[in-house]
Amino acid sequence: MGTMQELIPFAKEMLSQKPNRKMVKIYMLGSLLAFFGVVISLVETVCSPFTSEEQLQEEEEEEKRPPPTKEHTVPQKQRDLTMEKSKEQDVMQRNLVIRQRAS
């Protein structure tokens, strides 16, 4: 409420000085952005209890799942190694192309 009491005299002063169009547009844009910020924060506040419940449910489901076995982790490591090798080959090929263009 304190800002509202300050806003009304400010608006009266602005109107008495007859600001140019550019300043009015800037103030309107700022006011609109502030309004959207307030609306978004209110929506977040209202919806946050629902999202926290969903997160708790997801965490409970993850706890119920058995831990990954070695069979699942080994293929992942192999995939990571092949990805690293292919990235290294791409970098080497790019360097060769750059050297050829530079000379």
Side-chain angles (χ1 to χ4, degrees):
M1 274 321 253
T3 57
M4 200 61 166
Q5 292 171 351
E6 296 170 4
L7 186 63
I8 293 171
F10 177 71
K12 286 181 182 178
E13 184 181 333
M14 286 293 295
L15 290 173
S16 68
Q17 292 180 0
K18 299 194 180 188
N20 60 9
R21 273 198 128 111
K22 237 182 209 180
M23 291 304 290
V24 171
K25 286 181 182 180
I26 289 174
Y27 282 116
M28 290 300 291
L29 178 65
S31 301
L32 189 66
L33 290 174
F35 175 75
F36 282 137
V38 168
V39 170
I40 290 172
S41 64
L42 286 174
V43 168
E44 258 184 39
T45 304
V46 169
C47 294
S48 66
F50 301 114
T51 57
S52 63
E53 287 178 12
E54 290 173 2
Q55 290 174 353
L56 288 173
Q57 289 174 354
E58 289 175 3
E59 289 175 3
E60 289 175 0
E61 289 174 4
E62 288 177 5
E63 290 174 359
K64 291 178 183 178
R65 293 182 193 151
T69 61
K70 288 182 181 179
E71 295 172 357
H72 295 287
T73 56
V74 172
Q76 180 65 30
K77 288 180 182 178
Q78 289 175 349
R79 278 188 241 136
D80 291 342
L81 287 174
T82 55
M83 290 290 285
E84 287 179 19
K85 288 180 182 177
S86 66
K87 286 181 184 178
E88 288 175 4
Q89 290 174 352
D90 288 342
V91 170
M92 290 174 54
Q93 187 175 6
R94 277 190 224 131
N95 288 339
L96 287 174
V97 169
I98 291 171
R99 285 183 189 156
Q100 288 174 354
R101 289 182 183 171
S103 59

